[in-house]
Amino acid sequence: MKVKINPEWKEMLKGEFNKPYFKKLVEFIKDEYDTGKCYPKGGKIFEALNLCLPDNIKVVLLGQDPYHGPNQAHGLSFSVPLGTSHPPSLVNIFKELESDLNIPYPKNGDLSSWARQGLLLLNSTLTVRANQPASHQGKGWELFTDFLIEAISKEMDGIVFLLWGSFAKRKINLIDNSKHLVLKSGHPSPLSANRGYWFGNKHFSQCNNYLSQKLKKPIDWKL
């Protein structure tokens, strides 16, 4: 299993990589990938960080864990590779985007272009066993990504944090909302969205308005 992470992140995170919990996590992940099918591929585990470097971060969108079906997970929260059918949550994200900014529903579900503009598409857990959702939770990934969220909050200014659903909202204690914008809503999954907790949140326009106020280039949400 080949894992790659950009040197800029490696330098920032080297202290975390040397902690006992992370070394134990690495052993667990290696064993999981060696003995069974896991997602995403090893080279894509840190894709969110590789496409969105520390100096470029404008927005953090927190997901829970990767998609667990074939040809879905590629290291970016909510995103799927080009040509893959859109999962229900992504469908609802695109519907809200269309309603909020009048951007036509895209054929492409690959959100890499968002990441390259400074949107950190971070899952709380970065790996999963095939067809077994949440199978790699509680193994150490959450400690790592919590550290990352807190570090971004402490070391940067004027970041938009998108917290969708109860799991993501629990991370609010890691974020200094006196110097960042925190946008909360229900999760875009059908269960939440169909109960009225997702549609109409207008997070995409609110995000760009805030970035403009901070003299940062807004996100081009078109795919």
Side-chain angles (χ1 to χ4, degrees):
M1 180 180 69
K2 277 191 174 183
V3 175
K4 60 179 181 179
I5 186 168
N6 186 280
E8 291 183 36
W9 280 112
K10 194 176 287 186
E11 177 64 24
M12 180 178 170
L13 298 167
K14 63 183 179 182
E16 212 66 12
F17 291 149
N18 290 323
K19 289 183 178 179
Y21 88 84
F22 197 86
K23 292 179 178 179
K24 189 175 180 180
L25 171 63
V26 169
E27 291 177 7
F28 168 77
I29 296 301
K30 282 182 177 177
D31 184 64
E32 285 285 285
Y33 275 73
D34 286 344
T35 58
K37 186 76 172 174
C38 295
Y39 301 119
K41 293 179 180 178
K44 295 287 188 180
I45 290 174
F46 292 109
E47 187 75 348
L49 301 181
N50 291 331
L51 293 186
C52 185
L53 300 182
D55 289 345
N56 295 337
I57 294 176
K58 301 175 184 175
V59 185
V60 178
L61 172 53
L62 187 67
Q64 194 158 351
D65 61 351
Y67 296 122
H68 54 86
N71 304 315
Q72 291 184 310
H74 64 147
L76 306 174
S77 62
F78 295 103
S79 179
V80 292
L82 181 65
T84 299
S85 297
H86 301 171
S89 291
L90 188 58
V91 170
N92 286 335
I93 288 171
F94 288 153
K95 285 181 178 179
E96 175 59 26
L97 181 60
E98 188 172 24
S99 171
D100 186 9
L101 293 174
N102 201 30
I103 292 174
Y105 188 100
K107 295 179 180 179
N108 180 16
D110 183 349
L111 307 182
S112 297
S113 66
W114 294 2
R116 292 189 181 96
Q117 295 177 71
L119 204 160
L120 183 63
L121 295 160
L122 183 69
N123 279 316
S124 182
T125 301
L126 299 189
T127 56
V128 69
R129 198 178 301 144
N131 305 314
Q132 296 185 45
S135 50
H136 288 181
Q137 289 182 10
K139 304 296 183 181
W141 277 130
E142 295 91 341
L143 295 173
F144 175 74
T145 51
D146 280 2
F147 167 82
L148 192 55
I149 295 164
E150 196 163 18
I152 292 169
S153 175
K154 285 180 179 178
E155 297 175 21
M156 302 177 189
D157 290 297
I159 305 296
V160 180
F161 289 86
L162 300 175
L163 306 183
W164 297 345
S166 58
F167 178 86
K169 289 175 187 175
R170 289 199 290 270
K171 305 296 181 178
I172 197 166
N173 64 318
L174 303 172
I175 303 164
D176 182 354
N177 61 11
S178 69
K179 63 173 185 170
H180 303 292
L181 176 65
V182 179
L183 296 176
K184 299 180 291 181
S185 81
H187 196 275
S189 67
L191 184 65
S192 175
N194 293 339
R195 291 178 176 174
Y197 301 131
W198 165 254
F199 292 115
N201 63 39
K202 298 191 179 299
H203 280 186
F204 302 102
S205 57
Q206 289 187 67
C207 173
N208 277 357
N209 289 340
Y210 180 81
L211 293 176
S212 295
Q213 290 169 17
K214 295 294 181 180
L215 304 181
K216 298 180 182 182
K217 187 176 181 180
I219 303 295
D220 180 358
W221 300 104
K222 293 178 184 175
L223 296 172

